[in-house]
Amino acid sequence: MKGHKIHCIFDDGNSLDFDCSAEDSLITGAEKQGLSFVFGCRQGVCGTCKVRCTEGSVNHGEQASLDVLPEEEREQGYILSCVASPRSDLVIEFPYDAVDVGVDSDATSSIATVLGCEQLSTTVFRYRLQHMSEEGSQPEALEFIPGQYMELNIPESDYWRAFSMSSVPDEKGEMEFIIRLQDKGKFSNYLRDAVKVGQQVKMNGPYGQFTLEPSNRVRAFVAGSTGLAPLVSMLRGMALTNDNGEAHLFFGMGDPETFFYEEELRQLEKAMPNLKLHLFLISPADDWSGEKGSAVDGFRKQFDGTGVLPDVYICGPDGMIKATEQVCSELGIPAEQQFKEIFVASGRTK
Ligand code: FES
């Protein structure tokens, strides 16, 4: 059956067309033609795939959550591309650049060698890769902006996941990823059971626009779970460029077994005189040197009543982002000073 014509307009002014059948979601239809839209849960619950439809209509079925796509936004034409199927030809505006849908994917494909994989807590792994030259014989630097992500392939499969780097670009092309384990996740199973040092891995990227904005204001970084990764990369980027601006990192987990990366964060604090760490556990043990409670509450306490309106970088689960946005609004921090990325345990898939 002939599909509907989907005309896509990107933030950088580029555009492209693809055909999508009424039976497919826009993301699935795009994938059938080699395009990779940005998405997270793929189930209509996280909002990562939200785009604006300016012409035509779609069918959302039952799946689009009212939490992430309230009635007011639906009336403005917003749709969730992971669950919306076209009812007619469409014109869609994307809040990101054409390169982020893999339009240039040939230009950004490369390979890496596995340097190591270790468990950091009951729920988190550190996965280290080294970017290689085109022939795969030599380590080679990979340029990226702290805060960006790569799509990583499980060797000998067509399974991809997207993860943010926690490292910064270096001459040897070494990269670090902090990855949350899921009980039955394919990537988690690969990291637990099948990864081998020296193995070659395909990757695409770097992608993403969740990066540091130039500013003289105080910066607050609020992280939940492995949403810590892009924020640590940004802080390391500040250290690398001798950006001595005042920065606060608020990071929390539930209990001591799930907490990770404390030593690395303490080292970063030592290297950055104007960085203040605020580490939290909801249920700490007696020997916990950080604070009790949530990172979001810590963020509120730090700035409440001070008159300081920091730039705020937020990465974590949807609920944590919403709670931090609420605190930002209570503190009077303007929307233009809030930069967010939802961390979804399943990552983006390709
Ligand atoms: S709502 Fe579409 S990817 Fe999560």
Side-chain angles (χ1 to χ4, degrees):
M1 191 185 81
K2 184 176 174 334
H4 295 295
K5 182 179 158 204
I6 315 298
H7 181 62
C8 308
I9 302 169
F10 297 97
D11 208 32
D12 56 5
N14 284 319
S15 63
L16 63 82
D17 293 345
F18 71 95
D19 288 333
C20 184
S21 116
E23 279 76 47
D24 284 335
S25 73
L26 292 165
I27 280 183
T28 302
E31 282 175 344
K32 287 182 176 173
Q33 290 170 57
L35 302 169
S36 175
F37 287 168
V38 172
F39 62 91
C41 67
R42 213 170 172 139
Q43 294 168 35
V45 295
C46 75
T48 307
C49 66
K50 197 183 293 178
V51 293
R52 183 148 182 249
C53 178
T54 57
E55 284 179 37
S57 66
V58 301
N59 181 8
H60 267 126
E62 300 293 306
Q63 292 190 63
S65 156
L66 270 177
D67 283 348
V68 293
L69 193 65
E71 211 49 61
E72 190 190 347
E73 286 191 356
R74 290 176 199 235
E75 282 164 16
Q76 292 166 8
Y78 286 98
I79 60 173
L80 299 179
S81 49
C82 71
V83 290
S85 305
R87 278 190 177 136
S88 65
D89 291 354
L90 305 176
V91 176
I92 298 178
E93 291 176 357
F94 288 75
Y96 45 83
D97 294 347
V99 70
D100 289 330
V101 297
V103 173
D104 282 348
S105 61
D106 282 350
T108 56
S109 297
S110 56
I111 54 169
T113 299
V114 176
L115 290 179
C117 183
E118 63 179 304
Q119 193 153 2
L120 298 179
S121 75
T122 51
T123 54
V124 172
F125 266 100
R126 184 205 318 267
Y127 185 42
R128 290 190 307 116
L129 298 179
Q130 184 164 39
H131 179 246
M132 304 300 283
S133 61
E134 213 170 311
E135 327 75 64
S137 57
Q138 298 277 346
E140 187 175 82
L142 176 74
E143 287 303 317
F144 64 89
I145 304 170
Q148 288 192 303
Y149 67 90
M150 301 291 290
E151 290 179 339
L152 305 180
N153 175 245
I154 296 179
E156 292 165 36
S157 81
D158 57 3
Y159 201 79
W160 294 77
R161 281 287 182 266
F163 300 104
S164 300
M165 281 69 84
S166 49
S167 52
V168 282
D170 80 349
E171 286 174 1
K172 294 190 248 163
E174 293 187 9
M175 291 175 287
E176 179 190 77
F177 301 87
I178 306 172
I179 298 176
R180 172 144 187 200
L181 295 179
Q182 291 181 279
D183 278 353
K184 294 185 182 149
K186 285 189 188 170
F187 214 98
S188 301
N189 288 341
Y190 161 67
L191 295 179
R192 270 193 216 99
D193 306 327
V195 65
K196 291 192 185 74
V197 171
Q199 205 168 30
Q200 292 216 319
V201 172
K202 288 191 270 186
M203 53 186 197
N204 292 326
Y207 300 124
Q209 298 179 331
F210 181 57
T211 55
L212 269 189
E213 298 292 324
S215 166
N216 293 325
R217 285 184 283 269
V218 173
R219 291 183 174 118
F221 298 85
V222 188
S225 188
T226 46
L228 179 67
L231 303 185
V232 168
S233 179
M234 290 180 197
L235 286 166
R236 288 181 166 143
M238 286 176 67
L240 201 66
T241 55
N242 297 317
D243 179 337
N244 290 321
E246 181 178 336
H248 296 259
L249 173 64
F250 302 86
F251 172 53
M253 293 295 288
D255 52 52
E257 287 71 40
T258 54
F259 202 88
F260 61 96
Y261 227 63
E262 182 176 358
E263 199 184 319
E264 292 85 345
L265 293 177
R266 299 272 180 218
Q267 279 173 11
L268 196 57
E269 189 180 38
K270 271 193 202 145
M272 296 181 69
N274 293 326
L275 169 64
K276 174 83 177 94
L277 283 190
H278 307 264
L279 304 183
F280 292 86
L281 279 175
I282 303 283
S283 311
D286 290 343
D287 60 353
W288 171 237
S289 60
E291 299 172 58
K292 181 173 178 184
S294 81
V296 179
D297 285 342
F299 165 59
R300 177 195 281 111
K301 273 189 214 142
Q302 178 67 31
F303 293 103
D304 194 15
T306 63
V308 176
L309 301 179
D311 284 354
V312 188
Y313 294 82
I314 317 162
C315 190
D318 189 36
M320 192 218 83
I321 291 193
K322 289 206 172 90
T324 310
E325 285 172 339
Q326 175 62 34
V327 172
C328 286
S329 119
E330 288 164 23
L331 296 174
I333 297 171
E336 313 83 74
Q337 285 175 231
Q338 300 172 36
F339 309 96
K340 312 147 208 174
E341 186 160 87
I342 296 176
F343 153 75
V344 180
S346 57
R348 297 175 181 86
T349 59
K350 181 178 179 190

